[in-house]
Amino acid sequence: MADHPTDDTLQEPTPADGAAGDAAPAPSGGTRWRRFALALVPGLGAAAILGMMTTQGLLAASFAVSGDSFKMSAASLEGEGFTQYGDVATSVDDSARPVGLSTVDTAELKDLCMSSLIDLPIGTATLVIGAGAETPVEGSNLVMDVEQLQGNATFSNIEIGRDASTLDKAEGGAGPAGGFGLQSDTISVQDPKITSWAVNAGSLKLSGLKLSLKPGEHECY
């Protein structure tokens, strides 16, 4: 998991990142994050999917992100206990970016693919990890810093606009007081496609694991 500063100031938004900040400083969970979360809601499911952990949760990790995002896709994701709120991921060069910080208590993903482009002296290569083609990947206390996402999602008993500090449907999924949060009892996502900066898990069972480093660009999507 990435080390997440508490500064809520965002850069000028992109379609995946959220909406513009106000001219005057706003407290955590103010207009900036409300707009960010609203922009996130349409694809929310996909993010949630691998929706995955919190900087202030019991299982929060403390490490700087590499500075390179990676892609994840799956045929489907079924999860129980989901929370999400806006945060910031910081890399080792001190650059920062807004993310949707998501947590899922337990999840199953079918046909999972993860890919990351790597610059080598001989040129670009792609690290590809695949699992769950026959038996779904099983994860607990999953957490992800989501930059952008797409997919078709269904939630049960979803709450949108709840104070992030009171999120309680996923263990360790609460955020800062005043932050814009959302949560649901369950989440089901079909064909999720995610760009993420960091992923963390209490446990992760990768059935049928395949790992390869391929010359050229061979991303999951």
Side-chain angles (χ1 to χ4, degrees):
M1 252 296 293
D3 193 14
H4 304 285
T6 58
D7 182 2
D8 289 338
T9 301
L10 299 180
Q11 298 177 350
E12 188 67 19
T14 67
D17 289 336
D22 297 329
S28 297
T31 303
R32 295 188 182 93
W33 279 125
R34 284 192 174 86
R35 291 176 179 170
F36 170 76
L38 287 174
L40 203 59
V41 167
L44 185 23
I49 135 185
L50 299 159
M52 300 176 179
M53 195 176 239
T54 169
T55 50
Q56 303 193 4
L58 299 177
L59 297 175
S62 179
F63 62 80
V65 299
S66 67
D68 291 316
S69 61
F70 55 93
K71 293 183 176 181
M72 301 178 65
S73 66
S76 65
L77 172 285
E78 304 294 331
E80 294 187 4
F82 160 70
T83 65
Q84 184 183 72
Y85 63 89
D87 209 340
V88 177
T90 304
S91 61
V92 292
D93 63 1
D94 291 327
S95 61
R97 57 204 44 91
V99 295
L101 195 60
S102 306
T103 305
V104 171
D105 268 345
T106 60
E108 288 190 352
L109 299 99
K110 293 182 179 179
D111 202 11
L112 174 66
C113 175
M114 302 176 67
S115 63
S116 177
L117 296 179
I118 302 174
D119 290 326
L120 299 175
I122 59 174
T124 300
T126 308
L127 174 64
V128 181
I129 298 175
E134 297 182 3
T135 302
V137 170
E138 298 177 1
S140 65
N141 300 112
L142 301 177
V143 180
M144 176 185 285
D145 288 358
V146 178
E147 180 181 61
Q148 68 180 21
L149 56 94
Q150 64 184 64
N152 301 309
T154 301
F155 302 89
S156 66
N157 297 321
I158 188 170
E159 300 173 349
I160 300 174
R162 180 163 174 160
D163 189 286
S165 66
T166 68
L167 298 177
D168 58 9
K169 291 186 181 293
E171 182 178 1
F180 185 104
L182 49 100
Q183 64 178 6
S184 64
D185 287 342
T186 64
I187 174 175
S188 175
V189 186
Q190 303 302 310
D191 300 317
K193 293 179 175 62
I194 301 173
T195 300
S196 178
W197 289 91
V199 172
N200 197 4
S203 66
L204 192 63
K205 183 178 180 180
L206 298 170
S207 301
L209 174 65
K210 295 180 180 180
L211 187 154
S212 61
L213 190 61
K214 304 177 180 179
E217 298 185 9
H218 303 278
E219 296 184 282
C220 295
Y221 66 90

